[in-house]
Every structure is written in structure tokens, then in C-alpha cells.
Amino acid sequence: MNTLRKPASLPLVTRRAAAAAGLADIADKVEAGERLTFEDGQRLFATPDVAVVGALANLVRERKHGDLTYFNRNQHINATNVCEATCMFCSFSRLKTGDPESYTMTLEQAVSRLRALSDTLVTEVHIVNGLNPDLPFAYYTDLLRALKAERPDVHLKGFTAVEVHYYANKYNMTYEQILREFMAAGLDSLPGGGAEIFEPRVRHKICDDKVDADGWLEVHRVAHRLGLRSNCTMLFGMIETTDDRLDHMLRLRALQDETGGFQTFIPLKFHNEHNRLAGLYEATAVEVLRTYAVARLMLDNISHLKAYWPMLGVQVAQAALSWGADDVDGTVREERIYHMAGAKTPQALSRADLIALIHGAGRVPVERDTLYHVVAEA
Ligand code: V47
């Protein structure tokens, strides 16, 4: 395993550039490992010298992980796209059972997705579903049990906080009861979806009819208390301001101070096809990279920052590995959410493709499991 390269201090050239950009005090804090404030974050979003922001984030990334860059072998299962919520940015959901293009998998269909990969070393199934009003609670526990029975060795990462909140209301249970039932059925961790933007005015406009920020955070608080690890996300590049992005990051940082249960933060770039925000321009690569860098600098207590390649595209994901990110997610078979929103990336990458992607960015690939245990040196 490649040893961590831990740069003790900022390169002189970065220090000079930071001073010229009026960011010397922030550079000092980053070098000393001091926590940045909301106002620091505002200046990092505002400075024209975006390269300095990237260089500061890269220092933090290399101090935490050296050149190591993580990936896993995973499979996505979206068991139903029927969803009562009417999120403006979503291209995946269909409102009602029976709508053209709506689907709900039988348990056999869901399990067959995994069975088809019996020769492949998949270590994780990522399960995310629409908020389907027509299914009994047992559908989800049966789904978990059936997947676990098929592949007991595979980690089941499933159900966003949005889903957990919806089931709690629909089936008259607490978050804890839902999560305990899921754990008993085989759930191993929670994905980070559904966080979108926490700021209430933006949330009201883009996804009014699903869990609010406090509810989203409370589901993760309860999950962490029960011993589940989870991820967190932020959907950006829509109508939110950079202050809203910072507010979002700081709410996550505060919960992480409390519980320590988040493993990785995943900024998700909005894709603008086939949804009700289709008139918006998508964030540029520079804006994406700046957002990654600011996230790496603000979220000092979350270990990993994921450059999710289906959403960024392979080349921007590679660049992000020098702007704070240390993880590219995985093989991601059968991704639907981004591809229905116009992502032009492939449906899956092989293990060899991921290794080439990471080598191509000048980093060292490490295959991990969902909980960041090393599976193999690549
Ligand atoms: O919550 C929906 C986003 C998320 C669009 O935990 C969109 O490891 C862009 O959370 N453009 C679901 N984004 C995916 C997700 C995720 C992905 C990868 C890894 C992990 C993890 C979690 O996708 C939703 C929403 O924020 N989304 N529509 C769109 N048009």
C-alpha cells in the first residue's frame, strides 16, 4: 500500500497566491488545521482565484488520504419509481402506479438483478426507491431479506432519510422502529440521498412535499445512535445561492460533531433534462470543482468526499481528485436517477475502468467495502 504523502505545509507558490488573493488568513487556518467559519466559506466562494481554493483543499485531501483514492463494486436497485413527491429536479419518478413508464419490481425481479451478478465480486447493493403509496411495509423488509438470502456477503446500503420519514408517517411508526425493522431484515447502512438543499425557502420551492431539513437530520441522528453509518449529499447548481450551500454544509458538520456517523459527503451536480427545472443552466466544471474544494475545507470532520462519476462525468471526476475528493463511488450498475435526467456517462464502469480512471488522475486506487475497509490493493 502506498504510504500517505502528508505535506507538512502549503507550497510557497500557494501561500503567495493566497496572499495575493487576500486569503492569507484562511491559508494559515487551513495549514494549522483550524476550523473555517461561514464567512471564510463565503470568501472561498467569492474569490476569483479559484485555483487557490483548489490548492488549499488538495492540502487537506492529501493530509487525510495521501494519494489513496477509494472505489467499490456496487449495484443499484431502484425497486419502484412510483413516487408521491413532486420534486422539481426529478426525472426518475412517475406519480402513480399504472402511469406509462411507472414500474414496481417484484421481489423476484429485484433479486434476479443480484443473481445475474453471481460471478461478480459485488460488495454493495445501493437501494433507493420512490415514495410509493401502494406498497405494504412488508414489501421493503421482504426485499431486504430476499437480497440478503441471495448474497449474505453483500452490504445492503439502502433507503434515504426521505423514505424513512415517509414510511414512519404512512405506517404510523417512529424513525427508530422503521430502522430497527430494516436492520433486523438485513440493512447495513443508509445512503446520503434526499438532503437536496436544507435552506427552507429553497427547499420549499424545489421539494416541498417531502421531509424538511430537521427531519432529514433526525433520521440520520437516530441511525447513527443505532450504530448504522450513513452518507450525506447536497444537490447543487439549481436555484440555491452559495450561502445556501454553506448553510447546508454547516448543518451537516454540526450533526457530525454530535454523532460522528457520516462517512462521506457527496455533492451532486443537478442535471437538467426531463424535469421541471429543465430551463436552468447546469453548473460549469469550474463551479463544480470550487464547490468540491469548499466542501473539503468546511467539512473538516467528515473523512471522505465522493466524486460520483455518473453525475460528474469521468473527466470532471478525475479533476475533482485534485480538488478535495478521495472517492469515486463504484461500478454503479443500472444507475437510473441521473441517466433519466440526461447524464451522458456510461451505465456502469468495470473495476479495470475505475482503476484506469484513478491512475489517469495521478492517484492510487484502493478497492474498499462500504465501510471503507480495504478489500484489495488495486
Ligand atoms: O436525493 C435527483 C439527486 C439523489 C437529480 O450515499 C439529482 O453513497 C442531479 O443520493 N440531477 C439520489 N441529481 C442519489 C444519491 C446518491 C448517489 C450516489 C451515492 C450515494 C451514497 C447517494 O439524486 C437525490 C437527489 O439529490 N437527484 N434528480 C437530477 N436531475
Side-chain angles (χ1 to χ4, degrees):
M1 175 73 57
N2 131 297
T3 50
L4 284 185
R5 191 175 63 192
K6 287 188 178 168
S9 56
L10 276 177
L12 192 57
V13 60
T14 307
R15 170 157 297 290
R16 287 204 179 120
L23 300 173
D25 56 326
I26 295 183
D28 286 344
K29 280 189 179 180
V30 171
E31 197 166 20
E34 281 173 33
R35 179 161 274 195
L36 300 186
T37 63
F38 187 90
E39 291 70 29
D40 293 332
Q42 286 179 310
R43 289 165 62 202
L44 292 168
F45 268 123
T47 179
D49 198 341
V50 62
V52 168
V53 184
L56 295 175
N58 193 46
L59 176 77
V60 175
R61 184 256 199 253
E62 290 185 355
R63 276 184 175 168
K64 282 185 186 290
H65 306 290
D67 281 330
L68 302 182
T69 299
Y70 299 91
F71 71 94
N72 74 351
R73 289 192 245 189
N74 56 356
Q75 152 86 21
H76 280 223
I77 293 184
N78 305 122
T80 178
N81 70 346
V82 175
C83 188
E84 275 193 354
T86 55
C87 304
M88 300 275 284
F89 51 79
C90 188
S91 319
F92 166 72
S93 72
R94 296 294 176 266
L95 207 51
K96 292 198 181 80
T97 306
D99 278 356
E101 299 178 335
S102 73
Y103 72 87
T104 299
M105 291 180 187
T106 62
L107 292 187
E108 179 49 33
Q109 284 169 332
V111 170
S112 69
R113 297 289 203 281
L114 197 51
R115 193 172 300 136
L117 297 170
S118 55
D119 294 341
T120 318
L121 230 183
V122 173
T123 61
E124 171 190 287
V125 178
H126 180 156
I127 309 159
V128 175
N129 310 301
L131 308 180
N132 188 325
D134 304 318
L135 296 172
F137 183 61
Y139 176 86
Y140 305 101
T141 45
D142 287 350
L143 175 68
L144 288 166
R145 286 204 171 86
L147 292 170
K148 245 332 183 224
E150 178 67 27
R151 289 286 294 268
D153 53 317
V154 164
H155 180 112
L156 300 181
K157 178 179 85 176
F159 305 101
T160 64
V162 172
E163 291 163 79
V164 173
H165 173 83
Y166 176 77
Y167 305 145
N169 281 342
K170 183 171 168 57
Y171 307 112
N172 200 18
M173 292 163 77
T174 63
Y175 295 160
E176 178 166 342
Q177 285 168 332
I178 299 275
L179 290 170
R180 283 196 188 280
E181 294 266 355
F182 281 173
M183 289 163 79
L187 183 73
D188 296 302
S189 69
L190 293 190
E196 323 311 1
I197 286 285
F198 289 144
E199 198 283 326
R201 274 165 305 133
V202 175
R203 203 170 181 85
H204 173 64
K205 285 191 183 135
I206 62 171
C207 55
D208 199 26
D209 49 6
K210 69 185 190 191
V211 67
D212 64 9
D214 289 344
W216 190 98
L217 292 164
E218 180 60 16
V219 170
H220 284 262
R221 183 179 284 112
V222 174
H224 296 167
R225 179 162 53 74
L226 297 180
L228 291 171
R229 305 302 301 275
S230 71
N231 295 336
C232 48
T233 57
M234 173 180 76
L235 182 61
F236 72 98
M238 304 167 292
I239 55 168
E240 84 291 350
T241 63
T242 51
D243 276 6
D244 297 332
R245 293 182 205 171
L246 287 168
D247 166 75
H248 190 94
M249 292 175 199
L250 292 196
R251 291 185 202 224
L252 293 171
R253 189 168 81 178
L255 181 58
Q256 182 73 342
D257 277 345
E258 205 183 304
T259 66
F262 288 126
Q263 304 199 101
T264 183
F265 178 59
I266 311 147
L268 297 167
K269 187 193 91 158
F270 167 66
H271 271 279
N272 69 0
E273 287 180 38
H274 315 303
N275 55 52
R276 285 184 296 142
L277 293 178
L280 293 181
Y281 286 104
E282 288 188 6
T284 63
V286 171
E287 191 182 348
V288 168
L289 294 174
R290 187 198 291 265
T291 301
Y292 265 80
V294 174
R296 182 60 288 165
L297 292 164
M298 301 306 294
L299 293 173
D300 53 3
N301 56 359
I302 299 184
S303 214
H304 300 281
L305 182 65
K306 188 183 281 188
Y308 184 51
W309 65 261
M311 168 266 288
L312 293 181
V314 166
Q315 288 172 338
V316 176
Q318 285 178 310
L321 297 179
S322 294
W323 290 69
D326 63 280
D327 188 298
V328 294
D329 202 82
T331 44
V332 193
R333 285 181 182 79
E334 291 199 62
E335 199 291 320
R336 288 174 193 252
I337 295 173
Y338 297 101
H339 286 89
M340 290 178 79
K344 303 289 182 289
T345 42
Q347 279 285 346
L349 290 182
S350 67
R351 183 174 188 272
D353 292 334
L354 288 171
I355 291 171
L357 180 162
I358 295 167
H359 277 151
R363 299 297 194 183
V364 175
V366 181
E367 185 177 346
R368 61 164 175 84
D369 66 12
T370 310
L371 302 177
Y372 287 85
H373 302 120
V374 175
V375 171
E377 283 181 45

